[in-house]
């Protein structure tokens, strides 16, 4: 089974897993993004962005999720 590495804005944060395939990596990416955002507990500054990506064991990017914060007032 393939090995996948997840990063937050280009920095490795210790989330390396072995998953069945790219579809499983996508599911893990979405789940882990929710956990990362929950753990931030309001620490994301206004007008910033966070990019969470997953790569396979060959370094090929599989998918990414980008969250942008915008303060309107």
């Amino acid at each position: 089974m393939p090995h996948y590495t997840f990063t937050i804005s280009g920095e490795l944060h210790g989330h390396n897993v072995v998953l069945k395939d790219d579809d499983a990596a996508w599911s893990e990416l979405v789940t882990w993004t929710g956990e990362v955002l929950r753990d931030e507990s309001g620490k994301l500054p206004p007008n910033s962005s966070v990019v969470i990506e997953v790569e396979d064991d060959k370094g090929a990017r599989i998918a990414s999720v980008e969250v942008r914060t915008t303060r309107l007032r």
Side-chain angles (χ1 to χ4, degrees), residues 7 26 29-30 33 51-54 61-67:
T7 59
W26 170 258
L29 173 66
V30 172
T33 297
V51 179
I52 302 174
E53 296 183 320
V54 59
R61 291 174 58 208
I62 303 299
S64 69
V65 173
E66 182 173 1
V67 177

Side-chain angles (χ1 to χ4, degrees), residues 1 4 9 13 16-17 19-20 24 30 32 35 39 43-45 47 53 59 62 64 67 71:
M1 293 211 292
Y4 294 90
S9 296
H13 285 266
N16 299 299
V17 293
L19 299 167
K20 178 181 171 185
V30 172
W32 195 56
E35 292 172 6
D39 291 345
K43 296 176 191 169
L44 288 174
N47 306 313
E53 296 183 320
I62 303 299
S64 69
V67 177
R71 187 171 188 163

